[in-house]
Amino acid sequence: MTAFWQSCAKRLTSCLALVLPFVLSGCISKVNIAPGTPASQIIATLGQPTARYTLPGGGQRLQYSEGPMGQHVYNIDLDAQERAVDVVQALDETLFAKRILVNNWTREDVLREYGQPTHTMTVRNFDGEIWTWRYLDPLSQRYQLYIDIDRGGVVRSYSTVAESQLLGN
């Protein structure tokens, strides 16, 4: 091997050594948790959740978000005995209309369902904040979910847009 190729191989190895741990720790491509799995086993398998939320009835939600640039938020709901009862990839456009309760949900409901947004912004024609998350549609096209939250903390609307439209493609 020439000195040039040895140098390239060394640089590539160094880059991989630096980047690979971040890639592996930030990606949960698919969560496969069976009902009844204890919380301790879930955490041993997936690591600490990015957030925890108390649910009605004494249960709790373990949330695993790939944000801010990831496109998945996995919610694992536990019963009062801390066993899995439901696992949902929340950033699924087929669920938005069923789950997002306009004029009813609060900022806390949004966080419990989707976790911290990728981005927040204000605009002149809405008196509140617009929170944004990235997700993939069923054909793996990149989209963004926008949720409009007024100054009182109530969800007033939501919308989605293909990232290709934002980029002018």
Side-chain angles (χ1 to χ4, degrees), residues 28 30-33 41-49 64 76:
I28 306 172
K30 185 175 179 185
V31 173
N32 193 6
I33 302 294
Q41 186 177 338
I42 295 167
I43 292 169
T45 302
L46 300 177
Q48 289 297 322
Y64 290 88
I76 304 172

Side-chain angles (χ1 to χ4, degrees), residues 20-155:
L20 197 57
F22 293 103
V23 171
L24 294 176
S25 68
C27 295
I28 306 172
S29 61
K30 185 175 179 185
V31 173
N32 193 6
I33 302 294
T37 303
S40 59
Q41 186 177 338
I42 295 167
I43 292 169
T45 302
L46 300 177
Q48 289 297 322
T50 53
R52 292 176 186 245
Y53 299 97
T54 301
L55 298 175
Q60 74 172 298
R61 171 168 290 168
L62 303 180
Q63 190 172 76
Y64 290 88
S65 173
E66 294 178 351
M69 294 307 288
Q71 295 140 343
H72 301 94
V73 173
Y74 294 97
N75 291 326
I76 304 172
D77 292 349
L78 308 173
D79 61 18
Q81 288 73 43
E82 296 194 345
R83 295 193 173 275
V85 293
D86 195 23
V87 178
V88 173
Q89 199 295 93
L91 290 175
D92 177 341
E93 70 180 13
T94 65
L95 299 177
F96 297 157
K98 298 173 192 172
R99 303 237 176 169
I100 301 172
L101 303 176
V102 172
N103 297 323
N104 188 4
W105 260 18
T106 65
R107 181 178 284 112
E108 291 74 26
D109 295 314
V110 174
L111 288 170
R112 185 173 46 251
E113 189 67 20
Y114 302 114
Q116 292 294 324
T118 300
H119 180 72
T120 62
M121 64 182 147
T122 58
V123 293
R124 192 178 314 199
N125 63 347
F126 179 69
D127 191 19
E129 287 186 318
I130 301 171
W131 290 10
T132 308
W133 293 261
R134 299 177 74 223
Y135 73 95
L136 297 174
D137 76 354
L139 300 174
S140 295
Q141 300 297 311
R142 292 184 175 127
Y143 273 73
Q144 291 191 11
L145 167 65
Y146 296 96
I147 298 181
D148 304 348
I149 303 172
D150 70 14
R151 281 185 186 225
V154 177
V155 172

